[in-house]
Amino acid sequence: MRTVSTTTATRKTKATEPEKAAPAAVADAASDETVPSAAKRPVGHVSFVGAGPGDASLLTLRAKELLDAADVVITESADQAALAPEGAEVVDGGHGEDGGVLTPSARGRLVVKHAKGGKNVVRLLVGDPFTFATGPEEAQACDKANISFEIVPGVSSASAVPAYAGVPLTNRTHREVSVIRMGETKIDWAPYAGDQTVVLLSAVNTIKDVANGLIEAGRSPETPVAMTRVGTTTEQSTIVSTLEKIAADAKAAKMAPPAVTVVGDVVDLRETLSWFETKPLFGWRVLVPRTKEQAATLANRLRGYGAVSEEVPTISVEPPRNPQQMDKAVRGLVEGRYEWVAFTSVNAVKAVREKFDEYGLDARAFSGLKVAAVGEKTAEAIAAWGIRPDLVPSGEQSARGLLEDWPPFDELLDPINRVFLPRADIATEQLVAGLIDLGWEVDDVTAYRTVRAAPPPAPTREAIKTGKFDAVVFTSSSTVRNLVGIAGKPHATTIIACIGPATAQTAEEHGLRVDVVAPTPSAEVLADALADFGAKRRQAMVDAGDPVTKPSQRTKGSRRRS
């Protein structure tokens, strides 16, 4: 009888630090004492990794480490393919070439086949690989083929889905839990007639028989029941009922697998402990029309509020057509031609930094210069360069706010009266005019161009026009103009959120009704403002006794005037 460690088990290997060793290194470190001299050394390595119940952020650190180093990723569901690193081969481990569901033995053969090629294989399994999964059978196939393997536990749906539904499995008065995976075998419900919590997996289609069996065994017909489908994802939905009514309620709610069902008095705690489905933007589909790189921060913030963001590039940032103007300005900066450098965007900082790299310059070239940033995000980009801005607006983070704090030129205090202003080719003239009024001379230089992106795919354009998106967040006037230009106007039921007054004005000029304006021009603040709007909207529905719906769930005839 061979033994394995309880956390991450590695077969037929011996390494001084197994938790730090890469899978290939673990296989290479096999001891001659553990493998007979006549036997061949393992040719590959397999990591059986628990992928969790659905939310990719529930992956363990070890799982992420192994995925990053994988040559082959064998998945169990289509959505797991997104977890594979770039360059790795992705193999469907759930279905054969004919589309049929693979048996555990067939899955084992598939894993062995790829490992025999000397590859570093990660086998992803839903939930935990050794809990209601085919991990044990597949690992036995590896053992038979003399292939080293390890087990990386994952978050089981049996505990995670109820937690995301706000249903604890135990408390002070209920300390016993039974987990049952429904199958073809008939179950004797007598042992579950007490007040223990019962967790049912794969019970959607048999819930009527299960409920009747528990009632006949002695459970009260009024015992609370919660059924949650696609748990831990933003499509999660939960119904709360009783043993007597759950079958009818599940049918009325059109519940479908995968779902986890909890039976017991602990279900009553959901009323106060539901935290996921009550997020202010839970399940909202939010359109983020901006460049992919710029969308990451906003998308993460929206996700924290329960929304699913979909980025649609509307502009592409490209170098200026004529780089000579920037070349001349950078030479002037080095030669001491300027008193100030004013950055009005993160892209402007990036453009100047790239030009510095081209010339072999670094932040020391800013010695003796005053540096201004239009807002906190731009200031952070400058600080990442090792430069502390001398001026950031104390009020509104915009060109207007920057002008309000900008000092007038004083020939006694300022040896030079010139400002270097690297900007986009479509920037407004407000800042230039304001600086001139304050007595400064401005070198307004095109540091980068913003080019309208190609139209999004047809399904996305259709969703925009028909109100399938719950909200659109505009982060600049150009994103408004470009989105309308490449995809058309968002539907009248879609919530419109803008990063500031200027962007809101542009949206209104294009016939859009603006619902949310961020108090300060920041992507995070914009997401917070939309979440605040969603929270108030949700509370109003709850107070009125109405079901909580998303903006996209309004009736077709429900439209708002622009």
Side-chain angles (χ1 to χ4, degrees):
M1 186 74 176
R2 298 185 179 96
T3 61
V4 296
S5 64
T6 57
T7 304
T8 303
T10 302
R11 297 282 288 154
K12 299 182 180 178
T13 64
K14 183 184 292 183
T16 56
E17 292 183 339
E19 71 279 8
K20 295 182 180 178
V26 173
D28 290 341
S31 170
D32 291 337
E33 296 178 2
T34 59
V35 182
S37 58
K40 293 182 179 179
R41 295 171 63 86
V43 294
H45 183 86
V46 179
S47 301
F48 292 96
V49 174
D55 183 354
S57 65
L58 295 180
L59 282 171
T60 64
L61 293 175
R62 179 60 173 160
K64 180 66 168 60
E65 176 185 331
L66 291 169
L67 280 167
D68 289 343
D71 299 314
V72 179
V73 177
I74 302 178
T75 64
E76 196 164 46
S77 59
D79 56 346
Q80 289 179 350
L83 300 176
E86 186 177 353
E89 179 185 358
V90 178
V91 179
D92 183 359
H95 301 83
E97 295 180 358
D98 60 354
V101 178
L102 293 177
T103 62
S105 59
R107 294 182 181 192
R109 290 193 296 271
L110 180 68
V111 170
V112 169
K113 171 187 172 183
H114 286 278
K116 280 188 173 181
K119 300 292 183 65
N120 177 19
V121 179
V122 169
R123 171 68 168 111
L124 290 175
L125 294 110
V126 174
D128 178 78
F130 273 18
T131 306
F132 301 110
T134 59
E137 292 90 341
E138 296 178 38
Q140 286 176 319
C142 289
D143 175 71
K144 186 176 180 180
N146 196 32
I147 293 172
S148 66
F149 65 86
E150 64 178 294
I151 309 300
V152 181
V155 178
S156 172
S157 59
S159 57
V161 173
Y164 268 61
V167 178
L169 300 185
T170 63
N171 62 5
R172 287 184 180 181
T173 56
H174 298 82
R175 303 182 180 184
E176 184 180 349
V177 180
S178 298
V179 181
I180 304 172
R181 181 169 186 173
M182 304 303 299
E184 297 178 359
T185 305
K186 189 175 182 180
I187 297 175
D188 178 11
W189 295 106
Y192 312 103
D195 63 351
Q196 73 266 47
T197 302
V198 178
V199 179
L200 304 168
L201 307 179
S202 305
V204 175
N205 297 326
T206 58
I207 191 61
K208 183 176 182 179
D209 293 337
V210 170
N212 289 338
L214 286 170
I215 292 173
E216 291 174 3
R219 299 286 295 240
S220 168
E222 298 301 316
T223 302
V225 179
M227 182 181 288
T228 303
R229 68 177 304 274
V230 288
T232 77
T233 74
T234 52
E235 297 178 7
Q236 173 179 311
S237 62
T238 302
I239 60 169
V240 176
S241 184
T242 62
L243 278 178
E244 186 178 36
K245 300 178 180 178
I246 183 59
D249 290 345
K251 183 178 180 180
K254 299 181 180 179
M255 296 296 285
V260 175
T261 305
V262 180
V263 179
D265 292 338
V266 290
V267 171
D268 288 337
L269 295 173
R270 170 178 159 83
E271 186 173 343
T272 55
L273 298 182
S274 179
W275 62 274
F276 186 55
E277 294 172 46
T278 56
K279 287 189 173 186
L281 303 178
F282 178 75
W284 282 35
R285 186 183 179 190
V286 179
L287 180 67
V288 182
R290 60 190 309 192
T291 63
K292 193 76 173 180
E293 304 80 39
Q294 294 173 322
T297 301
L298 182 55
N300 290 337
R301 195 77 159 201
L302 290 170
R303 184 177 181 276
Y305 288 118
V308 179
S309 65
E310 186 172 328
E311 294 82 25
V312 175
T314 58
I315 58 174
S316 175
V317 177
E318 299 182 3
R321 288 191 176 91
N322 184 0
Q324 294 179 355
Q325 192 181 24
M326 269 289 283
D327 292 338
K328 181 180 178 181
V330 170
R331 285 197 300 269
L333 185 149
V334 175
E335 294 168 357
R337 175 182 173 85
Y338 303 107
E339 179 73 9
W340 281 90
V341 179
F343 291 104
T344 58
S345 70
V346 173
N347 284 327
V349 178
K350 181 180 179 182
V352 173
R353 191 165 185 175
E354 288 176 351
K355 185 62 67 173
F356 268 42
D357 291 341
E358 183 181 325
Y359 280 109
L361 300 171
D362 57 29
R364 288 174 293 182
F366 284 94
S367 177
L369 279 166
K370 296 186 180 75
V371 179
V374 76
E376 293 178 1
K377 284 299 175 185
T378 304
E380 289 175 6
I382 297 171
W385 200 355
I387 303 167
R388 179 177 296 177
D390 299 279
L391 176 62
V392 180
S394 57
E396 179 182 326
Q397 295 185 10
S398 64
R400 181 170 57 188
L402 191 60
L403 284 172
E404 289 177 356
D405 290 347
W406 196 290
F409 171 69
D410 188 326
E411 59 183 11
L412 296 177
L413 300 176
D414 301 308
I416 306 170
N417 72 333
R418 190 171 293 274
V419 177
F420 173 31
L421 182 58
R423 305 193 298 163
D425 56 333
I426 59 172
T428 62
E429 302 300 320
Q430 180 184 14
L431 183 56
V432 175
L435 290 173
I436 292 174
D437 289 342
L438 290 171
W440 296 94
E441 292 185 15
V442 181
D443 279 359
D444 186 9
V445 178
T446 298
Y448 61 95
R449 293 184 299 126
T450 53
V451 180
R452 180 178 290 182
T460 302
R461 297 199 303 272
E462 183 67 15
I464 292 171
K465 296 176 182 177
T466 58
K468 298 294 177 58
F469 283 99
D470 298 289
V472 179
V473 288
F474 290 113
T475 55
S476 67
S477 292
S478 62
T479 58
V480 177
R481 291 189 292 265
N482 290 333
L483 180 70
V484 173
I486 66 176
K489 289 170 55 176
H491 192 270
T493 60
T494 304
I495 304 302
I496 305 298
C498 297
I499 201 166
T503 303
Q505 181 179 345
T506 303
E508 290 170 350
E509 290 172 353
H510 283 75
L512 303 178
R513 170 176 168 173
V514 177
D515 303 280
V516 179
V517 178
T520 57
S522 159
E524 291 91 342
V525 175
L526 176 58
D528 296 344
L530 180 61
D532 184 59
F533 174 90
K536 292 177 180 177
R537 180 181 179 276
R538 185 183 191 282
Q539 191 59 49
M541 293 179 180
V542 172
D543 292 342
D546 297 329
V548 177
T549 59
K550 300 180 293 184
S552 59
Q553 293 174 319
R554 296 183 182 184
T555 59
K556 292 183 179 180
S558 175
R559 297 181 63 89
R560 302 176 305 156
R561 292 184 179 180
S562 299

